[in-house]
Structure formats: structure tokens, C-alpha cells
């Protein structure tokens, strides 16, 4: 066991795009597990778009990370000390270990990694991103056979599963991603019906061509130009689960006018749209169904996943900055130890 | 029977606020009921905000009225000739007779006025506005005991029933209306917990004071300044049935910037709001439950309603123009004959 705990703390709140200067790598003592607690060694750290929100002081569904405190984050960790009868030394668990080598926990929210699948799936397709896709698409999106489902960031861990579940439900899956390599992956590997490169194509035109029968479900995780292109193509009674707006996370002010909020409300009214924001924990009661269904599909090869592994905790800031620009290809994970 | 059919046709499409010049009163022959048809004499004509939409060519959920054609509208009509065994001469029915003295119908969508209630209730509390309030509030809004429900145009036929049903469900009802007389009516007659005069009060401040526990359901029928005041007060998981945006119906262009649509989407996400547009016919399968429940409440005196009757078909254009400015006090109905 290393003598010190390396941790990456929030050094300053970014105004706009985060840079390496907003993070600081420091060393602290390895924390001590008290009665009932476990000491966790971080093996893999998950990087996810929501972390940009935690860097800001703005009110959101979760408290911001305090300046000088370690960045929060889901981890796959190894139990290296245990004063808790529920966990044995050597077990691999999913936890919220944060951006650091070691963390202590009282065991709440810590779950043993199920056997039979690679441990890192607990951070991706069988973890928070996968459950976000599963719950948002099936509970709010409710795709029916023959309908058209559109999702952006489609090569990422949420979008890729949204499209694949849409296909399993008999719907048409249209993915939007950055670059020809990701688009080929969507079609050739994941079985999407169409893929659009938002960097290369005329997005509104390409999306309209890819959705000849309009759009019935738009799984909203990016906002911005994709949202603008989707809106005129939505069919009456379309559903829009809203779980992220990555394109706006670095925004420092409202975009220039005109104010299109009233036009958006008018579209909601005349097309009788259903928009609903959610975060995955709102559907905590579906965790069992999610693990059962997606675990089954994964073992049967009916859904695939892809990971983008970065080596070394010290690379986490740069990797998160890249994630917000769409530089990752697959679930972004830092291999810590 | 009068020899001629007076009818008010759409003379021109308004750009912005409609004026009397956009309507034309003309006389035509009384139409002839063919085999299977009935001839209807309009007794009362309903005026409703949606009619502004029908005057525009813009795509919406219903086709626009053609230039030179009679304005559409719900009516209470008397069957004066019948070639249809389902209807007898002399019966009062609710129909879509339009802005005219006479209309023919094949009977589709025509319903006998139930006995025991005044016939004009079929245009208001027991008609389309009442069913809009009932279905939107209960199916999308789903108020729970102790929650706060906010509705604007609260002295109108939709808003007044929204607030009263909210009270019946144990929720707190906060109404917004124009002028002290309407506000007194909400409190003294309808039992709202709070009423806010949007003409007199500092709306954001008054609404915040009237909603100390935030807002759980906002029944959206006006948009504009009310919507702006509501948004910061919405609680997590608030529901927003969207059935009208009267404040914007006369808008000729988008309001100046900044563009607040991304901020709206961010609020939907972080507060996990549920917004859903609807029109009453989307819930046609609830008609029976609506008539049973609201009819029961009305006969028991548990809900009240108020009508604003205008005398004479020729007054309809002026009355509709006034409706869009909130000049009516209660369900606006033209007594035609």
C-alpha cells in the first residue's frame, strides 16, 4: 500500500471551459477506516459530463464540490481494510471514491461488483450511464415498434445504449456523433439505422434525411445545435427525456436573441410534446430491473459497449476537459491502480 | 325561421392583434339538410382563445379557417330540421355550429344536452373548457394533498375549474387574474387560497409570497410574464400541463434576446420538470369520467362557474378581441337566438 493518498481537488471554479488550472493534484495522508467503515483503494475512476456541473456553484440537483475538496466521482475500488462485516478485504466494489487513491466509506451506496462481467462495466453499461439510458428511454421515451428514436453523443456510454435498446424495442435508431469513425461504429458495430457526423454534415438537413417519418423520441443529452435541428422534426406526441445538456455546460451567459423560449413553449403545445428532466437516481427503484435486463442483453451479446481507458489519476483533469469536447470514444474511465 | 343565415366569416388574416376588419358579417341562404343530416339553429356560441389560432395560417393542431369561410366555434344549437333518426326537432344539442345562425351536420360530434343543468354549461364547465381543466390537471398535473397549484386566467372557465379541482384534491390553489374584482371572486366565491392581480401587483414578488412552499403544478394557459414569474418558484418534480399561451397569440415575432430557451431546458433538467402539451381531444376517452365527476360536483355545489354573456351574433368579433385582452369575466358566450 502506498504511504500517501494522491487526490485531485477543485482548485478554482471555472468560468466557461475548465482548464488544468482549475484542478490541483496533491498528496494527503491515507484516511483511516473507523468502526463500521471500509478503506477503499481506487482501481478505476469514472469520468462523466455531470462533473462539470459539480465544479460550478450554481444550484443544481446536487451540491457543488467545495474548493479544495477532491472532485467527486464513481469508482471501482478494492476493499483494502474492513471494519464492516458486509465487506471483506480484497472484494471489488462500485463506490463514490472520488478523484483519489483512497477513500473511506460506511458502506452506504457501495455495491459488490457482480461476477461474470468485467468490473469496469459497473461504471458504464451496467452502471450510472447505462441505467440513465435504460430508465430515461423506457420510462419517459417509451419507444414503440416502428417509431424513430434520435440520440446524440451516440458513441458515448449513454447514447450507445439508448440506440441499442431502441433497436431491441423495434424502433429505428438514429445517432449523432462527432467524426466518421464514431459514425461507422454506430452503424457497423451497434446496428444503428443511421448515423450523422455533427462535425461534417449539414446537421438539420442530414437529420431530416435520416428521419423521413419524423422523430418520436429524442433522448436529450447535449442541447444546442442538435436540439435546434431536432425540434422541427418532432412528431405530435413526441417524448423527450432530458438528462443532460453537455453543449451548454461551459456556457458563461445566455446566447444572443431572439428569445426562443416562447417558440419552444408553442411547439410543446401544438405538437403536444412531453419533456421531462430526470437524473438516474430518480428511478432508483428500477435498479434491479435494469441490472437484470441489461446484464442479460450484455451476456447474450445483444448490446455492446466500448470503453476509453486513460492511464493514471493525474490524467483525469485533461480527460474530463476532453470529454466535454467529445474527444472520448466510449465510456471514459481512468485506470488509477 | 329567419329566411337568411347571418354568418361571420374570416375576412383577412390578422398580423398581430385582430381587429373588427378581420371579420365580415354576411348573409347567405340557410343551408339545406340532406339525407341523414340535421339543420341546427345556433342558440349560443362559445368564444374561446384557441380561435385566434384558427385565424392564422401557421401550422397548429387544427387546420386554419379559410378566408371567406365562417369562423368555427362550439355552439348550443336547436335541431330545427332532422333527416337523422338520432335527433328530433326541438332538441338542444352541443355542436360545432360556428359563427352563424344555421349549420347543417351529419350528427358526428353532436351531443344531446344532458337534462338538469343549464344548456350553456355545455360550452363551459361541462364542455370543452371544463374538460380541458379536468383532464390536464388530473392526468398531467396530478396534484397531491398539500401541494401548491398555480393557474392564470383564473377567473376564466378553465382556470377557475383548475383551482377548484385542486382544492377538492386537497391542494393549495393560487390564481392569477386581471383586476381586483376577479381576485375577490377567486377568494370569496371559489375558495382559492390566494389571488394575484397581474395588473396591479409586482407579479414575481406577489407570486413568491403566495407560494411559500414553491409551486408543484403550474397549469400553463397564458405564457409570458406569468410563466417567467412561475419558473424560479417551481419545485423539483413539478408538473406543467401546457394547454394555451394566450399572451403570445397575438405576437408577430419572437421577443428580443437573450435566448432563454437553453435556460429553460436547464431548468427542466435540474428540477426534473415534466412539461406536456395537450389539447382536450387528446383525452377524449376521459369524457365520460369528466361529465360524471364535474357534473356531480356542479350539482352538489362543490364547484361553481360564471358566464359572461354577450347579446347578438354581430358582437362576436369585438367579444373575441376583448377575450384575448382578458376583458371577459367568466365563460364568454354569445347569445345568438
Amino acid at each position: 500500500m502506498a504511504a500517501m493518498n494522491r487526490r485531485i481537488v477543485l482548485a478554482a471554479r471555472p468560468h466557461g471551459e475548465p482548464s488544468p488550472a482549475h484542478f490541483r493534484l496533491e498528496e494527503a495522508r491515507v484516511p483511516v477506516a473507523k468502526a463500521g467503515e471500509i478503506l477503499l483503494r481506487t482501481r478505476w475512476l469514472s469520468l462523466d459530463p455531470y462533473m462539470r456541473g459539480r465544479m460550478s456553484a450554481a444550484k443544481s440537483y446536487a451540491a457543488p464540490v467545495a474548493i479544495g475538496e477532491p472532485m467527486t466521482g464513481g469508482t471501482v475500488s478494492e476493499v483494502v481494510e474492513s471494519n464492516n462485516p458486509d465487506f471483506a478485504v480484497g472484494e471489488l466494489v462500485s463506490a463514490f471514491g472520488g478523484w483519489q487513491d483512497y477513500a473511506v466509506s460506511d458502506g452506504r451506496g457501495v455495491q459488490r461488483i457482480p461476477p461474470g462481467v468485467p468490473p469496469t462495466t459497473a461504471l458504464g453499461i451496467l452502471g450510472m450511464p447505462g441505467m440513465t439510458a435504460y430508465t430515461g428511454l423506457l420510462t419517459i421515451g417509451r419507444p414503440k415498434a416502428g417509431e424513430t428514436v434520435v440520440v446524440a453523443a451516440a458513441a458515448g456510454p449513454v447514447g450507445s445504449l439508448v440506440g441499442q435498446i431502441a433497436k431491441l424495442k423495434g424502433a429505428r435508431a438514429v445517432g449523432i456523433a462527432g467524426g466518421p469513425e464514431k459514425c461507422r461504429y454506430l452503424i457497423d458495430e451497434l446496428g444503428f439505422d443511421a448515423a450523422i457526423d455533427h462535425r461534417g454534415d449539414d446537421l438539420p438537413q442530414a437529420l431530416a434525411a435520416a428521419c423521413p417519418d419524423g422523430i418520436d423520441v429524442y433522448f436529450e443529452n447535449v442541447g444546442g445545435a442538435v436540439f435546434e435541428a431536432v425540434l422541427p422534426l418532432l412528431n405530435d406526441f413526441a417524448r423527450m427525456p432530458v438528462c443532460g445538456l453537455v453543449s451548454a455546460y461551459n456556457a458563461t451567459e445566455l446566447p444572443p436573441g431572439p428569445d426562443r423560449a416562447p417558440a419552444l413553449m408553442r411547439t410543446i403545445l401544438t405538437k403536444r410534446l412531453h419533456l421531462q428532466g430526470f437524473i438516474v437516481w430518480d428511478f432508483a427503484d428500477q435498479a434491479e430491473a435494469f441490472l437484470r435486463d441489461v446484464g442479460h442483453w450484455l451476456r447474450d451479446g445483444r448490446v455492446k459497449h466500448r470503453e476509453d481507458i486513460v492511464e493514471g489519476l493525474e490524467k483525469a483533469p485533461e480527460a474530463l476537459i476532453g470529454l466535454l469536447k467529445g474527444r472520448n470514444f466510449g465510456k471514459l474511465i481512468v485506470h488509477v491502480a
Side-chain angles (χ1 to χ4, degrees), chain A:
Chain A
M1 190 192 301
M4 298 299 281
N5 180 29
R6 292 177 309 153
R7 56 190 209 174
I8 296 175
V9 302
L10 181 63
R13 300 207 184 280
H15 180 73
E17 232 174 73
S19 79
H22 297 110
F23 303 90
R24 188 174 61 242
L25 175 65
E26 53 178 42
E27 296 204 337
R29 291 223 179 132
V30 175
V32 175
K34 292 184 289 236
E37 293 184 334
I38 49 179
L39 178 65
L40 299 172
R41 175 82 165 100
T42 304
R43 299 276 298 270
W44 288 277
L45 164 67
S46 179
L47 294 182
D48 301 279
Y50 76 82
M51 291 170 171
R52 175 64 186 85
R54 298 289 199 286
M55 298 177 75
S56 294
K59 190 180 177 325
S60 185
Y61 47 76
V65 173
I67 299 287
E69 286 297 308
M71 289 286 294
T72 52
T75 57
V76 167
S77 302
E78 183 182 336
V79 179
V80 291
E81 286 180 29
S82 178
N83 301 320
N84 183 320
D86 293 342
F87 298 96
V89 169
E91 282 185 323
L92 277 187
V93 294
S94 67
F96 272 86
W99 294 31
Q100 55 189 348
D101 287 322
Y102 293 95
V104 290
S105 167
D106 61 7
R108 274 183 294 184
V110 176
Q111 291 183 307
R112 212 162 279 108
I113 302 283
V117 289
T120 49
T121 56
L123 302 178
I125 189 165
L126 294 178
M128 183 272 286
M131 186 160 155
T132 299
Y134 177 91
T135 57
L137 182 66
L138 296 181
T139 306
I140 303 171
R142 302 185 306 278
K144 293 191 274 286
E147 288 192 331
T148 297
V149 175
V150 171
V151 65
V158 178
S160 64
L161 190 57
V162 165
Q164 292 180 88
I165 295 177
K167 292 297 297 175
L168 288 174
K169 298 296 175 185
R172 212 160 160 276
V174 176
I176 298 162
E181 196 191 2
K182 289 180 181 173
C183 287
R184 273 194 304 273
Y185 170 70
L186 295 182
I187 303 277
D188 296 345
E189 296 291 319
L190 303 186
F192 278 57
D193 296 282
I196 296 165
D197 181 357
H198 66 77
R199 292 179 183 161
D201 299 330
D202 174 335
L203 184 59
Q205 196 179 2
L207 190 61
C211 303
D213 299 323
I215 298 171
D216 302 291
V217 179
Y218 172 53
F219 191 100
E220 172 63 298
N221 52 8
V222 299
V226 175
F227 179 76
E228 297 298 327
V230 161
L231 215 50
L233 300 175
L234 289 172
N235 291 328
D236 285 355
F237 306 107
R239 288 82 66 197
M240 196 187 298
V242 180
C243 78
L245 297 163
V246 177
S247 74
Y249 286 178
N250 286 335
T252 55
E253 54 186 19
L254 293 172
D259 180 6
R260 287 179 293 186
L264 172 57
M265 291 300 292
R266 188 185 136 81
T267 303
I268 292 172
L269 170 59
T270 58
K271 293 189 175 179
R272 286 98 99 200
L273 305 180
H274 174 174
L275 278 74
Q276 191 172 338
F278 76 103
I279 60 169
V280 65
W281 314 125
D282 299 337
F283 299 121
D285 60 346
Q286 296 184 34
E288 204 173 318
F290 155 67
L291 285 172
R292 182 194 61 221
D293 288 349
V294 180
H296 181 69
W297 295 333
L298 184 64
R299 283 186 295 271
D300 283 4
R302 298 178 74 189
V303 295
K304 295 177 184 177
H305 72 120
R306 181 183 173 114
E307 295 175 342
D308 187 337
I309 308 276
V310 171
E311 279 298 329
L313 178 64
E314 68 282 2
K315 296 283 175 53
E318 189 189 316
L320 179 64
I321 292 166
L323 173 72
L324 296 169
K325 295 176 177 169
R327 288 199 187 130
N328 59 306
F329 186 178
K331 173 67 194 107
L332 186 58
I333 292 173
V334 180
H335 183 217
V336 177

